[in-house]
Amino acid sequence: MKPLKAVLAASVLVLGSLSLHAATVHAAAAASPTNVPPTAAPPIARIVAAADAFLATLDESQRKQVLYAFDDANQRARWSNLPASMVPRGGIAFRQMTSPQKAAALKLLASTLSPAGFAKIQQIMEADEVLQQQRGRRGGTVPLFGRDVFYISLLGKPSETAPWMLQFGGHHLALNITLVGERGVLTPTLTGAQPAIYKSGDKTVRPLKGESDKAIALLKSLNARQRSQAILGYRVTHLVLGPGEDGKTIQPEGLKATEMNANQRTMLLELIAEWTGIIEADAAAARMVEMKADMDEMWFAWSGPQDVEPGSNLTAYYRIQGPHLVIEYAPQGGDPAMHIHTMYRDPTNDYGAKLISK
Amino acid sequence: MRLSTSTIRTAIAMTAGALAPLAPVLAHEVDEYIQSTLISLEKDHLDVQMRLVPGVDVFPQVLAQIDRNRDGLISDAEKQAYARAVLRDLTFSMNGRRAAAEIVSAKFPSIELMNAGLGEIQLALHLPVTNPSEHQKLVLENRHQPTISAYLVNCLKPLDPSVHIVSQHRSADQSRYELNYETGG
């Protein structure tokens, strides 16, 4: 087994046979960085240690490739849902790293994320690997798809007190993690998947399962009056506030959370947690405090089919919006259950703007 | 304020090619021309930002409207002409009266980028609000390339606290958008 695979969680996959709706892959069991015993060190100390350890594995030219000034606005905005061969990313790609370097990069990533968040990110990357196997290696010098075409970069020097940023992404993934002391900000972050359902051995993997299942459960909990408010009378086929729309807030629409009962409000919070919970536990908890405080100003809007095939993904668009939140879930054309884009923003604090200005 | 042709030409010249391959594009649908419109409300005017992204399969149809002389290049004159053509396919009305929008800027990526499905044409429009009243009703109809287009139209939350959005209504495909808003004071 390659060293990288020893680091990746159980979602490290070897491609198997494919079908229209589910690519069959076989799991290769492996130790996961998420299985590392927790330590008493504060998250930022662990994250900085992991960042320093990663940088120490790089040679001088690689370090130059990875490091950007914290105020490099171009690099900050250099993310997309598209493959890196179409929209080049900054930083260094997995394909440009040795196995120990990849392992250190993944350990850094894992230190900034929750176990569930890290697993989700790995599943998104593996979906892209499945896509690579389905479509074949394309894209010229830079492959179009696959787990090796994900990039990592750091803006600013890893610090326990000063602001810095970790960017990680590729096709259907853009994590923008701003760290300021004990505060961590995950917005803006784009997640997505294609195929959004695939097989790992005998297990079906849906990287965005919670985002789909919890949303349809919330919709189905609504009564007719609530549904009539939540469901938009028009078709939404794409992210409204995707890449390039930083800091913007559109007029909210749909059902306001004040019109929901206590159980529905809890369901809404649990749905939001699919995104807020990607980051490590302390930062996620702080974010959820903010989400709960904003609950009366939250909105839930839906466009598209109101049912989903058992075990499949939503083919409807939905949006959750609050004073400090925009979440969008946008299935794409072709087979929309198999190709999903999502966006997670805080228009008031994208890239930690509020923390940095203090 | 109506912008002159030379002003438009200058704006296009200044921004042409500014969209590097790094410019974030909306999506990668191959068979749609995504037209995303964001409206920003001010008391005396509206700013309208359009992001037009032709998918690979429909790009030839879009290019045919841009590259009128079929020389494989997009000249400044063709950029201006296309921006005006898009504007002609938009109908703005305010309180039931036809309103004239102006082109502030038009940014075009390279043909190569658009050919790869990565190019995003960006149009910035300005719509003066003449005779503003307390209750305003804007209607925007977009008839640009309807057979291949997917429309998105939204209004940004007003920054001016005296401007208040009352309601929004859209046709099923978002080609028609109605916005009711109030301007206090």
Side-chain angles (χ1 to χ4, degrees):
Chain A
M1 183 181 296
K2 293 177 182 176
L4 170 61
K5 289 185 178 177
V7 175
L8 285 171
S11 59
V12 176
L13 307 167
V14 179
L15 193 74
S17 60
L18 305 176
S19 68
L20 278 179
H21 274 266
T24 304
V25 289
H26 304 291
S32 163
T34 60
N35 292 334
V36 173
T39 71
I44 189 63
R46 285 189 282 113
I47 294 167
V48 170
D52 288 341
F54 166 61
L55 291 173
T57 68
L58 305 178
D59 63 31
E60 191 56 32
S61 101
Q62 287 176 313
R63 261 195 298 278
K64 281 183 181 168
Q65 207 175 334
V66 165
L67 291 170
Y68 292 82
F70 180 69
D71 60 358
D72 189 327
N74 288 333
Q75 173 59 19
R76 193 168 301 209
R78 195 171 288 162
W79 54 270
S80 170
N81 53 293
L82 292 161
S85 60
M86 293 181 171
V87 178
R89 311 301 203 271
I92 186 169
F94 275 10
R95 68 189 180 87
Q96 298 167 310
M97 289 189 268
T98 64
S99 293
Q101 290 169 341
K102 293 176 191 175
L106 284 170
K107 194 165 182 179
L108 167 58
L109 189 62
S111 74
T112 64
L113 304 179
S114 67
F118 186 65
K120 189 194 301 278
I121 289 344
Q122 287 180 292
Q123 289 177 353
I124 289 168
M125 295 169 68
E126 289 308 319
D128 212 50
E129 184 68 18
V130 171
L131 190 64
Q132 152 97 331
Q133 300 288 343
Q134 288 177 334
R135 302 279 177 92
R137 186 182 175 89
R138 299 190 304 178
T141 54
V142 179
L144 203 51
F145 310 117
R147 73 168 78 88
D148 276 351
V149 205
F150 286 80
Y151 289 71
I152 187 167
S153 63
L154 304 181
L155 286 79
K157 186 180 184 307
S159 165
E160 294 188 28
T161 53
W164 61 288
M165 191 175 159
L166 167 67
Q167 283 190 317
F168 183 79
H171 187 212
H172 288 138
L173 183 65
L175 298 174
N176 294 296
I177 303 169
T178 305
L179 297 148
V180 187
E182 294 299 327
R183 301 294 303 273
V185 175
L186 186 63
T187 54
T189 273
L190 181 147
T191 59
Q194 182 189 23
I197 307 170
Y198 60 90
K199 283 279 190 185
S200 169
D202 58 358
K203 187 180 170 194
T204 299
V205 179
R206 293 166 55 208
L208 305 173
K209 177 179 187 294
E211 292 85 336
S212 175
D213 294 357
K214 291 179 181 178
I216 194 70
L218 175 58
L219 184 80
K220 287 188 177 300
S221 78
L222 304 180
N223 63 31
R225 183 185 56 80
Q226 290 173 314
R227 277 195 192 211
S228 71
Q229 293 175 53
I231 293 167
L232 305 173
Y234 57 91
R235 195 167 62 103
V236 186
T237 52
H238 299 282
L239 298 173
V240 174
L241 295 175
E245 302 288 11
D246 292 342
K248 292 178 180 170
T249 304
I250 59 172
Q251 181 70 11
E253 294 179 278
L255 174 68
K256 202 171 183 187
T258 49
E259 301 296 316
M260 296 180 181
N261 64 33
N263 186 47
Q264 291 163 342
R265 287 158 69 98
T266 300
M267 293 172 82
L268 180 61
L269 272 178
E270 287 174 355
L271 177 56
I272 291 169
E274 286 295 328
W275 285 269
T276 60
I278 292 173
I279 201 166
E280 58 83 19
D282 286 9
R287 181 72 167 140
M288 281 312 280
V289 168
E290 187 176 39
M291 295 297 96
K292 287 175 184 170
D294 285 348
M295 182 48 67
D296 281 354
E297 296 299 321
M298 291 285 187
W299 296 75
F300 179 61
W302 187 279
S303 170
Q306 297 166 42
D307 279 305
V308 61
E309 293 287 325
S312 187
N313 293 315
L314 280 180
T315 56
Y317 167 95
Y318 71 84
R319 183 190 309 144
I320 305 168
Q321 191 170 341
H324 306 100
L325 176 72
V326 177
I327 284 171
E328 291 182 275
Y329 178 102
Q332 300 300 289
D335 184 347
M338 294 293 276
H339 185 181
I340 297 159
H341 295 168
T342 91
M343 195 67 232
Y344 169 48
R345 287 186 176 279
D346 177 354
T348 71
N349 197 28
D350 277 347
Y351 310 105
K354 278 196 299 200
L355 300 181
I356 295 158
S357 64
K358 282 182 181 173
Chain B
M1 173 185 68
R2 176 164 288 282
L3 302 184
S4 67
T5 301
S6 61
T7 305
I8 296 169
R9 184 181 298 125
T10 303
I12 290 173
M14 286 174 64
T15 55
L19 269 187
L22 300 176
V25 296
L26 288 168
H28 48 104
E29 290 300 315
V30 296
D31 59 352
E32 287 179 337
Y33 188 18
I34 302 170
Q35 300 187 34
S36 179
T37 303
L38 279 177
I39 298 169
S40 174
L41 292 179
E42 302 290 343
K43 271 189 175 178
D44 61 351
H45 73 274
L46 279 64
D47 292 314
V48 180
Q49 174 207 326
M50 295 187 75
R51 302 176 70 181
L52 311 175
V53 186
V56 171
D57 289 356
V58 298
F59 177 60
Q61 283 173 260
V62 176
L63 183 63
Q65 281 206 345
I66 303 173
D67 182 20
R68 304 298 290 190
N69 65 5
R70 305 285 193 273
D71 67 352
L73 302 169
I74 304 178
S75 67
D76 284 351
E78 287 171 330
K79 291 172 185 174
Q80 292 173 49
Y82 185 70
R84 286 195 298 267
V86 173
L87 186 58
R88 275 196 303 275
D89 288 339
L90 305 176
T91 303
F92 291 92
S93 74
M94 189 65 78
N95 303 324
R97 289 186 173 184
R98 185 83 179 255
E102 304 148 352
I103 299 168
V104 176
S105 67
K107 302 179 183 179
F108 284 74
S110 67
I111 285 187
E112 291 73 25
L113 268 183
M114 286 195 278
N115 208 24
L118 297 172
E120 177 177 302
I121 300 165
Q122 298 181 353
L123 299 183
L125 310 176
H126 176 89
L127 184 75
V129 176
T130 53
N131 302 318
S133 62
E134 191 176 338
H135 305 283
Q136 300 277 38
K137 178 180 175 180
L138 167 78
V139 175
L140 166 60
E141 291 182 68
N142 186 345
R143 294 178 306 281
H144 186 60
Q145 298 271 28
T147 58
I148 57 173
S149 292
Y151 302 106
L152 296 169
V153 55
N154 285 276
C155 188
L156 297 174
K157 279 188 83 168
L159 294 174
D160 183 343
S162 68
V163 179
H164 171 66
I165 293 175
V166 177
S167 64
Q168 301 176 93
H169 306 284
R170 298 167 180 81
S171 59
D173 66 354
Q174 299 199 59
S175 63
R176 187 182 188 281
Y177 175 70
E178 178 183 315
L179 172 69
N180 293 284
Y181 66 100
E182 293 176 344
T183 56

